[in-house]
Amino acid sequence: MKAPIAAFLLSLTLSLTLNSNQIIVSSTTIPLDTAKPAQLPPTYTPPDETTLSKIKATRSRRIAEQRERVRAKIASGEFADKYHKISEEQLTGLVTKAYEEDPELERKEHQWIRRGNLKNALNDPRRRQNNRELWGSWGVSRDPYAVPTGMADTSADWEKWAQGYRHVGDFIDCSGMFYNGEGSHDDGDGDGGNCERWAAWCAYVDPYYAGGEYDEYFGDSPAGSLDCHKPDSSWLLLGCYAQEHYQWYEQISKHLWAIDDYEYVVALAGLAYMTDEACQGPYYDSNNYEVYFAPMPLEGGRVMMGAYSDASCIYPHESTDSTYDDFFEGDGIDLGSKDQGQDDATIATLEEWWYDAQEYTMELFNEVYASYLYCTSCMDYPTYQDGYFIGDDGTDDDDLINQCWKFYSHDSFNLP
């Protein structure tokens, strides 16, 4: 009976998480005369970050819908006698002429060349003698005439900045389907005979990545959009994976925040609080009931320290009023070997964050990790190692960490 229970928990958690991410945004388009300076009314108020985010999301959705309509018409054969694929020679001529007339590709009619990164694609010695390669993103094949399937080519060499991921929920597995007695990528201690907790995550790639690296998604006027969590996204699914539960949260904490960032302190406090034990106990409550504790997957990709009645921490305890807080004995704040040197006021603030995060609902911990339920770049920028920049400022290309690779190398397995 254990395997069906695990499958049910996985199905429930993932379906609720995915449904909660569907956001409908409405907007009104106001045409502007770009030939004249914009005259703002006296009552004009710049949009706040939430409104600006909705505007960008709406724009991305409209572009994606238009692209899909065109592709559907092409696939239907409606324009079979009206279009043809241009040759490599013709494309080279168009690109060369555009750069001669407009070296910075500032004109509107040349944006398709900049967005498709065609100059680099044409000059890339690795590409095959095949017109499909002309549409590659930094050496990656992409055919604009193809009807999308929603799935990425797993054999392709996708550029690192074109990769994204998101957390889709946690689950419990009692079948040992991931370890199978062979251990994990980092020699984890799962033995296949116990019930293990896992985080489910999915990886995506942007087939329209144009080579802009960080600015492609985070610049002042980003051309791309990190929206792989949306049903109408143009991002393609690369695969979904099971990540050892503790490792999922730990790997994010290691590389994304500074040592005195609120997020870093709360993340480490939560990890120290729940520990990497699969199931803790037995403890005995005031009624002498035997109680066990472990991370409990919740709706919406959240987690809490739940009370269980069995030594595998599968069945929620229905008779106890005790919580993990009644038994937890912490060792105090510990931000690693380099957490010394702060002044007294800073230490007091860090300690407040630390102890506030250590309670059984794990509310603050869930808030810190909530953004990873949405599309996130695989590239950690800037990159930290245990609270400190790698290199001078964590932004040199050689210092950047691909978070998706980190997941793979630490107890991550293909979901069946």
Side-chain angles (χ1 to χ4, degrees):
M1 292 182 61
K2 290 183 176 181
I5 291 175
F8 169 76
L9 289 173
L10 172 60
S11 174
L12 177 63
T13 304
L14 298 190
S15 63
L16 288 171
T17 300
L18 292 171
N19 290 340
S20 67
N21 288 339
Q22 295 185 12
I23 302 174
I24 300 175
V25 178
S26 60
S27 67
T28 301
T29 301
I30 302 175
L32 295 176
D33 183 356
T34 57
K36 300 178 182 179
Q39 300 296 319
L40 301 180
T43 58
Y44 172 77
T45 302
D48 57 27
E49 291 185 5
T50 300
T51 303
L52 186 60
S53 177
K54 289 182 178 180
I55 292 173
K56 290 181 179 180
T58 303
R59 181 190 62 184
S60 298
R61 176 177 55 79
R62 289 199 306 268
I63 293 173
E65 289 173 349
Q66 182 184 36
R67 185 184 299 129
E68 295 304 318
R69 287 196 298 269
V70 172
R71 285 179 169 173
K73 288 186 177 181
I74 291 176
S76 70
E78 180 179 346
F79 304 120
D81 59 343
K82 298 180 181 180
Y83 73 89
H84 65 280
K85 294 183 180 181
I86 64 175
S87 67
E88 179 176 345
E89 182 179 357
Q90 290 172 317
L91 181 60
T92 302
L94 289 172
V95 173
T96 300
K97 183 178 179 181
Y99 273 98
E100 290 175 349
E101 299 176 351
D102 181 18
E104 300 300 324
L105 297 182
E106 296 177 343
R107 297 181 189 173
K108 182 177 180 180
E109 64 267 26
H110 294 153
Q111 293 307 297
W112 65 279
I113 298 175
R114 182 196 63 79
R115 188 74 174 93
N117 192 36
L118 295 182
K119 185 177 182 180
N120 283 322
L122 288 167
N123 295 327
D124 188 347
R126 295 174 299 172
R127 68 179 180 83
R128 300 188 301 271
Q129 297 302 311
N130 185 316
N131 281 344
R132 289 175 59 88
E133 290 295 313
L134 298 178
W135 308 98
S137 174
W138 292 78
V140 177
S141 175
R142 172 164 56 80
D143 184 357
Y145 299 100
V147 177
T149 63
M151 295 294 296
D153 180 0
T154 57
S155 65
D157 183 18
W158 294 98
E159 213 280 340
K160 60 187 180 183
W161 280 102
Q163 302 171 21
Y165 71 94
R166 70 184 185 105
H167 182 202
V168 294
D170 300 329
F171 67 99
I172 302 170
D173 169 60
C174 297
S175 69
M177 71 174 76
F178 302 116
Y179 283 120
N180 287 325
E182 298 177 1
S184 63
H185 291 302
D186 70 343
D187 298 322
D189 57 3
D191 59 13
N194 296 322
C195 293
E196 303 285 346
R197 278 151 172 78
W198 299 85
W201 66 282
C202 295
Y204 302 82
V205 292
D206 182 0
Y208 301 102
Y209 172 72
E213 298 186 345
Y214 177 84
D215 288 336
E216 180 101 0
Y217 307 105
F218 303 102
D220 293 336
S221 299
S225 177
L226 285 167
D227 62 359
C228 60
H229 58 279
K230 295 185 176 181
D232 60 354
S233 175
S234 61
W235 286 65
L236 303 178
L237 177 65
L238 191 62
C240 291
Y241 312 94
Q243 172 84 31
E244 194 277 325
H245 188 263
Y246 185 90
Q247 286 283 358
W248 167 263
Y249 295 102
E250 183 184 49
Q251 285 307 310
I252 291 177
S253 74
K254 280 179 169 290
H255 306 298
L256 287 171
W257 302 306
I259 196 164
D260 55 357
D261 282 346
Y262 169 81
E263 293 84 356
Y264 184 74
V265 177
V266 170
L268 263 63
L271 289 167
Y273 178 72
M274 69 181 181
T275 79
D276 60 356
E277 295 294 327
C279 187
Q280 300 184 56
Y283 300 97
Y284 295 89
D285 68 8
S286 58
N287 294 315
N288 207 34
Y289 287 128
E290 192 173 83
V291 187
Y292 298 82
F293 295 96
M296 177 183 288
L298 300 175
E299 174 185 349
R302 297 174 298 120
V303 66
M304 66 173 285
M305 286 301 291
Y308 295 90
S309 59
D310 62 296
S312 293
C313 287
I314 294 298
Y315 301 100
H317 207 302
E318 298 180 353
S319 300
T320 186
D321 293 325
S322 294
T323 70
Y324 186 54
D325 294 342
D326 296 324
F327 304 97
F328 175 71
E329 297 179 0
D331 295 326
I333 185 171
D334 182 6
L335 301 180
S337 59
K338 300 179 181 180
D339 62 349
Q340 305 301 318
Q342 290 93 351
D343 57 52
D344 291 343
T346 300
I347 292 176
T349 299
L350 300 183
E351 288 180 340
E352 180 181 358
W353 294 343
W354 180 276
Y355 293 116
D356 284 350
Q358 293 187 330
E359 51 83 28
Y360 79 99
T361 70
M362 302 192 72
E363 180 179 358
L364 299 183
F365 184 84
N366 286 317
E367 289 177 356
V368 163
Y369 283 95
S371 63
Y372 301 98
L373 292 165
Y374 300 88
C375 196
T376 305
S377 173
C378 285
M379 299 307 298
D380 295 339
Y381 186 99
T383 290
Y384 296 85
Q385 180 64 51
D386 298 321
Y388 290 86
F389 285 134
I390 293 181
D392 294 332
D393 58 7
T395 61
D396 291 341
D397 191 65
D398 291 342
D399 295 330
L400 298 179
I401 283 179
N402 187 316
Q403 190 66 52
C404 296
W405 166 252
K406 279 293 183 179
F407 293 147
Y408 168 78
S409 63
H410 291 74
D411 290 323
S412 206
F413 302 85
N414 292 330
L415 277 171

